[in-house]
Amino acid sequence: MDPNRGVRSCRECKRAQVRKYRAREDKQVVHRVDVCKHGHAMDEENSHFAADGTRSCRACSREKARESYRRTQAHRGPAFAERTHCPQGHAYDEANTYVTSKGHRQCRTCNKAREVVRTEKRRSERAVS
């Protein structure tokens, strides 16, 4: 089976492409920009070069990453240890809270409600059988 089935290429054109690529590869890329669009210096320490030869500002990349992280953290709300109520709205007080063996805090009211639902489901399955 022919691997180039349906594809034709001229040897001379291919050689010309290779010569052009190698000539471009040997040239030194000169960057004329001294600062990025946000004012950071584009020196060796602050520049990042991609495989295609483009250059980007490391300081801007870090700021963008930090801002993205802040946005994701803002949507999460308070940390689990700081929450005063469970997702269903029951208060996390001593009478309504217990800690599992793994250290997770759980709501007694919600667990009781889930257990009632499970029990009713089992009873209905037994009645049908």
Side-chain angles (χ1 to χ4, degrees):
M1 189 168 186
D2 184 19
N4 294 325
R5 190 176 76 190
V7 178
R8 290 185 179 182
S9 60
C10 171
R11 286 184 186 171
E12 287 302 315
C13 293
K14 192 69 169 170
R15 285 185 192 133
Q17 284 177 346
V18 170
R19 274 188 243 112
K20 184 179 174 184
Y21 178 78
R22 288 183 181 157
R24 185 183 70 197
E25 194 176 65
D26 294 338
K27 291 182 184 176
Q28 288 289 332
V29 178
V30 179
H31 298 285
R32 292 184 217 121
V33 180
D34 295 331
V35 294
C36 73
K37 63 182 179 181
H38 297 289
H40 303 117
M42 291 297 282
D43 53 1
E44 285 295 317
E45 294 150 4
N46 190 37
S47 296
H48 172 73
F49 292 91
D52 63 352
T54 58
R55 182 171 70 158
S56 61
C57 176
R58 287 179 192 246
C60 289
S61 297
R62 282 193 296 271
E63 287 174 8
K64 188 186 290 185
R66 284 187 193 121
E67 184 58 34
S68 173
Y69 180 76
R70 281 188 208 113
R71 273 188 262 120
T72 59
Q73 294 304 312
H75 291 302
R76 290 185 178 185
F80 287 109
E82 298 169 356
R83 293 183 180 163
T84 58
H85 290 76
C86 75
Q88 282 72 33
H90 305 119
Y92 277 141
D93 55 4
E94 283 190 38
N96 190 38
T97 307
Y98 71 94
V99 180
T100 66
S101 60
K102 292 184 179 181
H104 299 285
R105 185 171 58 168
Q106 292 188 349
C107 174
R108 288 185 190 275
T109 308
C110 293
N111 282 341
K112 285 179 185 176
R114 281 193 296 270
E115 188 59 36
V116 167
V117 169
R118 281 189 215 115
T119 305
E120 292 298 322
K121 185 177 177 182
R122 286 186 202 131
R123 285 183 184 161
S124 65
E125 288 174 355
R126 286 183 197 152
V128 171
S129 313

